[in-house]
Amino acid sequence: MALEEKREKRPPVTPMMIEEEAALRNGSRGLPPGPWAEAAGPRPPTTERHIAVHKRLVLGFAVSILALLAVTMIAVLLSVRFEECGAAADGPPRAGGNGSLPGAARRPPGAGQPPGRPEEEVEEEAAARGGEAAAAEEKKEEEEEEEWQRRRELPPWARPRLPRHLRPLHYNLMLSAFMENFTFSGEVNVQLEVRNASRYIVLHAHRMHIEAVRVAEDKLAGGVRVARSFFYPQTQVFVVVLNRSLEVQRSYNLKIIYNALIENELLGFFRSSYVLHGERRFLGVTQFSPTHARKAFPCFDEPIYKATFKISIRHQATYLSLSNMPVETSVFEEDGWVTDHFSQTPLMSTYYLAWAVCNFTYRETVTKSGVVVRLYARPDAIRRGSGDYALNITRRLIEFYEDYFKVPYSLPKLDLLAVPKHPYAAMENWGLSVFVEQRILLDPSISSISYLLDVTMVIVHELCHQWFGDLVTPVWWEDVWLKEGFAHYFEFVGTDYLYPGWNMEKQRFLTDVLHEVMLLDGLASSHPVSQEVQQATDIDRVFDWIAYKKGAALIRMLANFMGHSVFQMGLQDYLTIHKYGNAARNDLWNTLSKALNRVGKSVNIQAVMDQWTLQMGYPVITILGNETTDNVIVISQARFVYDSDAKPKDPALGDNSYLWQIPLTIAVGNTSHISSEAIIWVSNKSEHHRIPALEEASWLLGNINQTGYFRVNYDIRNWRLLINQLKRNHEVISVSNRAGLIDDAFNLARAGYLPQNIPLEIIGYLSEEKDFLPWHAASRALYPLDKLLDRTENYNIFNEYILRQVASMYLKLGWPTNNLNKSLVQASYQHEELHREVIMLACSFGNKHCHQQAATLISDWISSNRNRIPLNVRDIVYCTGVSLMDEDVWEFIWMKFHSTTAVSEKKILLEALTCSDDRNLLNRLLNLSLNSEVVLDQDAIDVIIHVARNPHGRDLAWKFFREKWKILNARYGEALFMNSKLISGVTEFLNTEEELRELKNFIRSYEEGAAASFSRAVETVEANVRWQRLYKEELFQWLRKSLTH
């Protein structure tokens, strides 16, 4: 119905349509030479002849009327299309939902009939010709099928990748968006270069109705006849079969006219909405990465097929349209419509193309090099200045990247678009980056430093993509880390440029990237950072934290062992050589090796890095003192896994087969001093190395500042020396290494490499720790241990131990004052974050004063209706208040969630609702989460995950997940990250035999989709159950003993 309604409002017909209709009219109603032409000529004025002429005219008129009626009926019955559509009726099976083409438009009987020949004879001859053509076509296809079978090949349309015989050079795309009924129509003209002769044009198209297809040789009159065309849904392609082969090194034009829906989902060309002054307003926006451009226009939807694009968008004048390039001209029509014609893009991949139709307003700034930067958002958000922070740092960051990479930003403008609904934090479309509102809009009066940091890093990430991704694009999805790893690494480098005192790359990178991804990569079900991708269904699984965070960690390791200045020089060369093109990992390795050679160093980067990118997992280095020989240590490497009983992903490749070339930095220390670091390249399973100045009381420290992607274990004697050093004078060891020791110890113990007491003894020094990073590392390391224990009967013993470690620092720091009148960016970011971390630990583990303070602040807000809660601890106070207080507080927070328009506040209010101890309220919230009018689609996942993290709601969320899986999978199954994030979040803290059985039974019942995520979930829960069985009692015994001293 929607498509029919849309067609009633279509723009005027195109010139091509006029020409085709004229041809049909001339064919069916024109007067060919012959008897009828003679009958119309002058005759001698005799009565008899006049009568004869009149009779013949009347008869001719009657026959003409009958012929016209016959033609009309045939046209209606056959749904006449352009002749070029071809006879599609004989094609392979098609998906009706994709709008398969009907039969070719046919010439009506008698049209073009030679003089004097009976109509029946013409029809018989035409039928005979048609039959001969069909027979010839059938024979040709049989021969081709036999040839494919002989070569053991699939037909071109059934292969996982597009055939390589054609290359798109340019797309001319004209769109009409009908926002009143959420449909759009399009006409795409693709200029094709022929590399190998073929009569098949295979390109991607999905969930659209194709009305017409035409193929013509460029710059020459006449077309190439289309024999038929059809969809092949299994590979999401549309196939155009020609009746002759396209010639090599010739250029052709493919024209397709189509229409489709502006979907109410999160991918392709989709719609979103917001409320302004009580009125709901709609917008349309695109999300094409990785394989969804094909839902918006027929295209060669693979990264290697870079082309130029010329976009035109027709829309109602009450809207504006945006695309990758600036508007060149706008043509206004009398009926209230306008067509925006955009400038031509540079060479780019289809998944970076973008457009939007909205009624937003904007603010703008200009960089030193003249790039116009605009931020588009809801008019009320622009009016409040919520986009000003993002706009200002974007200008500065473009200037930073241009200077760092020595490659100018390539387009004349960059638009930042803040939308209410989007599947991801943001998408780096070239020249039109799209952000979900929560990750770009910031109200300084109610936003915390943590929120500001989130917004900052998302923007830094997306801007890096304008070089790594947009300008230089990975050849294929197996190397998606080449863009995502770099963008994730530069989140920290770029933020350091904006805020030099924050030390993001040297410190926060460890807890937020390195430690986090090692949790995932320590599973036997992990995968290499570069992994084989055969077909579209495989692409989703490469977009995970392995690609992003492990990719970033490997890049950081590479930059450190190369030296940052040489690494920067290599990146400049890489971008210059490959700009506007595609590159693979070996292109990067070769360029970086050449950069090293230029400074006199000879390292085969490919030989080193292939071991890190083509193997899954990471090593644990074990350093042991040699008791028989002075100053000699034994260094060994093995693959680190949390569950040694877990079956390896590839049974043929056991853990003993893994080997890395490891740049191990090492230093020797004592009570007052640490030596300068030395680098040892560890290439074998076990090696002996002489370490000078290794005395009786000296300790060893490996992986200095945690620049390497591996864990380090020591003999118990060395661990004891390190623990004593931390207690006596922790500042001898760097902040980064203090954080690294905490994270390594907790995870080595969890995996069974260390006794359970070692990590708890290490954090015994924290009462003297004044730096944020070690506290943050301890908080993150304690979190999974807390979730393993929070439903056990002896949990209070663990709880008490942690409170003892926190109490001293909590009393020293106290609570922050209300800073509503201060600058958002505090003078001491590190101090503010330390303050927040300690309060969070104190409230989470039940410090009575912390609970009282939170309850007092919430009560004051309710009674005065003035929120005086300090910005940086609002989320902690909201959560604690909801957990401790009655249902009225939950209802108050629920009301505030609905009434606030500030996106940062909305986010933490929603998360606070998941903290309740009341299971009825948690169930109510879970059920409301699937109502898109109440909770945005992208936020529903966070609600379910946060309920699962609550020990009072873990079983509720797990049950809800299983009952609603079909709905959740339908909503999020195609969106990168979303399903894997949901599956991991709901299952990661299940830890009983019964829950493990439930998980396995559920997977058996719903085998379709998300297989890799479910495999990781099973391994995680198995490791949790194993830890409970093997190590829980050991931990509690030590805790009891420790608390009695």
Side-chain angles (χ1 to χ4, degrees), residues 247-267:
E247 297 177 31
V248 178
Q249 295 183 341
R250 301 295 285 269
S251 181
Y252 294 83
N253 184 74
L254 169 67
K255 174 181 285 189
I256 299 178
I257 297 175
Y258 66 99
N259 54 59
L261 298 173
I262 302 174
E263 300 279 5
N264 184 25
E265 54 173 43
L266 297 166
L267 301 166

mmCIF file of all heavy atoms in Angstrom, residues 247-267:
data_model
loop_
_atom_site.group_PDB
_atom_site.id
_atom_site.type_symbol
_atom_site.label_atom_id
_atom_site.label_comp_id
_atom_site.label_asym_id
_atom_site.label_seq_id
_atom_site.Cartn_x
_atom_site.Cartn_y
_atom_site.Cartn_z
ATOM 1 N N GLU A 247 31.717 -5.870 -24.300
ATOM 2 C CA GLU A 247 33.061 -5.979 -24.884
ATOM 3 C C GLU A 247 34.115 -5.438 -23.930
ATOM 4 O O GLU A 247 33.900 -4.443 -23.232
ATOM 5 C CB GLU A 247 33.113 -5.209 -26.213
ATOM 6 C CG GLU A 247 32.170 -5.783 -27.263
ATOM 7 C CD GLU A 247 32.176 -4.966 -28.549
ATOM 8 O OE1 GLU A 247 33.241 -4.388 -28.871
ATOM 9 O OE2 GLU A 247 31.125 -4.887 -29.208
ATOM 10 N N VAL A 248 35.259 -6.094 -23.931
ATOM 11 C CA VAL A 248 36.362 -5.725 -23.042
ATOM 12 C C VAL A 248 36.864 -4.327 -23.369
ATOM 13 O O VAL A 248 36.913 -3.919 -24.535
ATOM 14 C CB VAL A 248 37.507 -6.752 -23.159
ATOM 15 C CG1 VAL A 248 38.684 -6.356 -22.278
ATOM 16 C CG2 VAL A 248 37.020 -8.138 -22.779
ATOM 17 N N GLN A 249 37.226 -3.601 -22.299
ATOM 18 C CA GLN A 249 37.778 -2.243 -22.388
ATOM 19 C C GLN A 249 36.801 -1.258 -23.006
ATOM 20 O O GLN A 249 37.211 -0.208 -23.506
ATOM 21 C CB GLN A 249 39.101 -2.242 -23.159
ATOM 22 C CG GLN A 249 40.197 -3.028 -22.432
ATOM 23 C CD GLN A 249 41.528 -2.967 -23.161
ATOM 24 O OE1 GLN A 249 41.579 -2.649 -24.351
ATOM 25 N NE2 GLN A 249 42.595 -3.284 -22.453
ATOM 26 N N ARG A 250 35.537 -1.595 -22.982
ATOM 27 C CA ARG A 250 34.515 -0.637 -23.400
ATOM 28 C C ARG A 250 33.780 -0.165 -22.163
ATOM 29 O O ARG A 250 33.781 -0.805 -21.116
ATOM 30 C CB ARG A 250 33.522 -1.289 -24.381
ATOM 31 C CG ARG A 250 34.159 -1.826 -25.634
ATOM 32 C CD ARG A 250 34.759 -0.723 -26.511
ATOM 33 N NE ARG A 250 33.752 0.030 -27.219
ATOM 34 C CZ ARG A 250 33.304 -0.273 -28.441
ATOM 35 N NH1 ARG A 250 33.764 -1.344 -29.061
ATOM 36 N NH2 ARG A 250 32.397 0.477 -29.042
ATOM 37 N N SER A 251 33.116 0.974 -22.287
ATOM 38 C CA SER A 251 32.372 1.555 -21.172
ATOM 39 C C SER A 251 30.882 1.498 -21.489
ATOM 40 O O SER A 251 30.462 1.784 -22.609
ATOM 41 C CB SER A 251 32.822 3.003 -20.954
ATOM 42 O OG SER A 251 32.144 3.565 -19.874
ATOM 43 N N TYR A 252 30.080 1.118 -20.508
ATOM 44 C CA TYR A 252 28.633 0.991 -20.674
ATOM 45 C C TYR A 252 27.930 1.734 -19.542
ATOM 46 O O TYR A 252 28.516 1.964 -18.472
ATOM 47 C CB TYR A 252 28.212 -0.480 -20.667
ATOM 48 C CG TYR A 252 28.725 -1.275 -21.839
ATOM 49 C CD1 TYR A 252 30.013 -1.808 -21.829
ATOM 50 C CD2 TYR A 252 27.935 -1.484 -22.969
ATOM 51 C CE1 TYR A 252 30.497 -2.529 -22.900
ATOM 52 C CE2 TYR A 252 28.404 -2.218 -24.049
ATOM 53 C CZ TYR A 252 29.696 -2.737 -24.014
ATOM 54 O OH TYR A 252 30.168 -3.452 -25.094
ATOM 55 N N ASN A 253 26.688 2.052 -19.790
ATOM 56 C CA ASN A 253 25.869 2.695 -18.760
ATOM 57 C C ASN A 253 24.717 1.769 -18.362
ATOM 58 O O ASN A 253 23.971 1.289 -19.216
ATOM 59 C CB ASN A 253 25.301 4.030 -19.258
ATOM 60 C CG ASN A 253 24.536 4.742 -18.156
ATOM 61 O OD1 ASN A 253 25.118 5.287 -17.232
ATOM 62 N ND2 ASN A 253 23.207 4.733 -18.237
ATOM 63 N N LEU A 254 24.614 1.516 -17.071
ATOM 64 C CA LEU A 254 23.518 0.717 -16.525
ATOM 65 C C LEU A 254 22.559 1.658 -15.816
ATOM 66 O O LEU A 254 22.957 2.382 -14.905
ATOM 67 C CB LEU A 254 24.065 -0.321 -15.538
ATOM 68 C CG LEU A 254 23.032 -1.059 -14.676
ATOM 69 C CD1 LEU A 254 22.149 -1.951 -15.533
ATOM 70 C CD2 LEU A 254 23.731 -1.871 -13.595
ATOM 71 N N LYS A 255 21.304 1.656 -16.249
ATOM 72 C CA LYS A 255 20.284 2.504 -15.627
ATOM 73 C C LYS A 255 19.250 1.598 -14.957
ATOM 74 O O LYS A 255 18.729 0.665 -15.572
ATOM 75 C CB LYS A 255 19.603 3.399 -16.656
ATOM 76 C CG LYS A 255 18.434 4.208 -16.078
ATOM 77 C CD LYS A 255 17.757 5.074 -17.129
ATOM 78 C CE LYS A 255 18.614 6.277 -17.460
ATOM 79 N NZ LYS A 255 17.871 7.243 -18.328
ATOM 80 N N ILE A 256 18.959 1.885 -13.687
ATOM 81 C CA ILE A 256 17.945 1.138 -12.951
ATOM 82 C C ILE A 256 17.022 2.123 -12.254
ATOM 83 O O ILE A 256 17.485 3.042 -11.570
ATOM 84 C CB ILE A 256 18.586 0.194 -11.904
ATOM 85 C CG1 ILE A 256 19.495 -0.830 -12.595
ATOM 86 C CG2 ILE A 256 17.515 -0.514 -11.086
ATOM 87 C CD1 ILE A 256 20.211 -1.759 -11.630
ATOM 88 N N ILE A 257 15.730 1.935 -12.436
ATOM 89 C CA ILE A 257 14.715 2.727 -11.745
ATOM 90 C C ILE A 257 14.056 1.817 -10.713
ATOM 91 O O ILE A 257 13.700 0.675 -11.016
ATOM 92 C CB ILE A 257 13.683 3.295 -12.730
ATOM 93 C CG1 ILE A 257 14.379 4.269 -13.702
ATOM 94 C CG2 ILE A 257 12.544 3.992 -11.999
ATOM 95 C CD1 ILE A 257 13.489 4.795 -14.801
ATOM 96 N N TYR A 258 13.909 2.313 -9.490
ATOM 97 C CA TYR A 258 13.456 1.441 -8.403
ATOM 98 C C TYR A 258 12.734 2.263 -7.342
ATOM 99 O O TYR A 258 12.713 3.500 -7.389
ATOM 100 C CB TYR A 258 14.664 0.733 -7.770
ATOM 101 C CG TYR A 258 15.615 1.669 -7.064
ATOM 102 C CD1 TYR A 258 15.567 1.834 -5.680
ATOM 103 C CD2 TYR A 258 16.548 2.423 -7.780
ATOM 104 C CE1 TYR A 258 16.415 2.712 -5.036
ATOM 105 C CE2 TYR A 258 17.395 3.307 -7.145
ATOM 106 C CZ TYR A 258 17.328 3.449 -5.775
ATOM 107 O OH TYR A 258 18.168 4.330 -5.126
ATOM 108 N N ASN A 259 12.141 1.578 -6.367
ATOM 109 C CA ASN A 259 11.579 2.252 -5.206
ATOM 110 C C ASN A 259 11.680 1.323 -4.003
ATOM 111 O O ASN A 259 11.864 0.114 -4.144
ATOM 112 C CB ASN A 259 10.141 2.718 -5.452
ATOM 113 C CG ASN A 259 9.245 1.592 -5.923
ATOM 114 O OD1 ASN A 259 9.080 0.585 -5.229
ATOM 115 N ND2 ASN A 259 8.671 1.746 -7.120
ATOM 116 N N ALA A 260 11.573 1.907 -2.808
ATOM 117 C CA ALA A 260 11.737 1.123 -1.580
ATOM 118 C C ALA A 260 11.152 1.903 -0.411
ATOM 119 O O ALA A 260 10.700 3.043 -0.560
ATOM 120 C CB ALA A 260 13.208 0.813 -1.333
ATOM 121 N N LEU A 261 11.168 1.264 0.742
ATOM 122 C CA LEU A 261 10.678 1.886 1.969
ATOM 123 C C LEU A 261 11.804 2.590 2.700
ATOM 124 O O LEU A 261 12.955 2.151 2.668
ATOM 125 C CB LEU A 261 10.089 0.823 2.902
ATOM 126 C CG LEU A 261 8.881 0.025 2.399
ATOM 127 C CD1 LEU A 261 8.548 -1.080 3.390
ATOM 128 C CD2 LEU A 261 7.683 0.933 2.192
ATOM 129 N N ILE A 262 11.468 3.687 3.376
ATOM 130 C CA ILE A 262 12.360 4.270 4.381
ATOM 131 C C ILE A 262 12.036 3.517 5.656
ATOM 132 O O ILE A 262 11.033 3.769 6.321
ATOM 133 C CB ILE A 262 12.131 5.788 4.530
ATOM 134 C CG1 ILE A 262 12.338 6.500 3.183
ATOM 135 C CG2 ILE A 262 13.070 6.373 5.586
ATOM 136 C CD1 ILE A 262 11.991 7.981 3.203
ATOM 137 N N GLU A 263 12.867 2.554 5.994
ATOM 138 C CA GLU A 263 12.524 1.534 6.983
ATOM 139 C C GLU A 263 12.439 2.085 8.407
ATOM 140 O O GLU A 263 13.124 3.050 8.754
ATOM 141 C CB GLU A 263 13.573 0.415 6.957
ATOM 142 C CG GLU A 263 13.696 -0.299 5.629
ATOM 143 C CD GLU A 263 12.634 -1.362 5.416
ATOM 144 O OE1 GLU A 263 11.732 -1.478 6.269
ATOM 145 O OE2 GLU A 263 12.716 -2.081 4.409
ATOM 146 N N ASN A 264 11.636 1.433 9.222
ATOM 147 C CA ASN A 264 11.585 1.760 10.646
ATOM 148 C C ASN A 264 12.506 0.797 11.383
ATOM 149 O O ASN A 264 12.089 -0.021 12.194
ATOM 150 C CB ASN A 264 10.147 1.640 11.174
ATOM 151 C CG ASN A 264 10.044 2.069 12.627
ATOM 152 O OD1 ASN A 264 10.860 2.863 13.100
ATOM 153 N ND2 ASN A 264 9.064 1.549 13.331
ATOM 154 N N GLU A 265 13.792 0.878 11.052
ATOM 155 C CA GLU A 265 14.786 0.022 11.687
ATOM 156 C C GLU A 265 16.062 0.824 11.825
ATOM 157 O O GLU A 265 16.027 2.038 11.991
ATOM 158 C CB GLU A 265 14.988 -1.270 10.899
ATOM 159 C CG GLU A 265 15.323 -1.071 9.441
ATOM 160 C CD GLU A 265 15.672 -2.371 8.754
ATOM 161 O OE1 GLU A 265 14.978 -3.373 8.981
ATOM 162 O OE2 GLU A 265 16.673 -2.387 8.004
ATOM 163 N N LEU A 266 17.219 0.192 11.750
ATOM 164 C CA LEU A 266 18.464 0.898 12.056
ATOM 165 C C LEU A 266 19.498 0.828 10.936
ATOM 166 O O LEU A 266 20.610 1.293 11.121
ATOM 167 C CB LEU A 266 19.080 0.307 13.331
ATOM 168 C CG LEU A 266 18.243 0.449 14.607
ATOM 169 C CD1 LEU A 266 18.793 -0.456 15.704
ATOM 170 C CD2 LEU A 266 18.223 1.886 15.086
ATOM 171 N N LEU A 267 19.141 0.268 9.776
ATOM 172 C CA LEU A 267 20.121 0.049 8.727
ATOM 173 C C LEU A 267 19.550 0.444 7.374
ATOM 174 O O LEU A 267 18.341 0.493 7.196
ATOM 175 C CB LEU A 267 20.556 -1.419 8.710
ATOM 176 C CG LEU A 267 21.169 -1.940 10.021
ATOM 177 C CD1 LEU A 267 21.242 -3.453 10.024
ATOM 178 C CD2 LEU A 267 22.537 -1.337 10.254
#
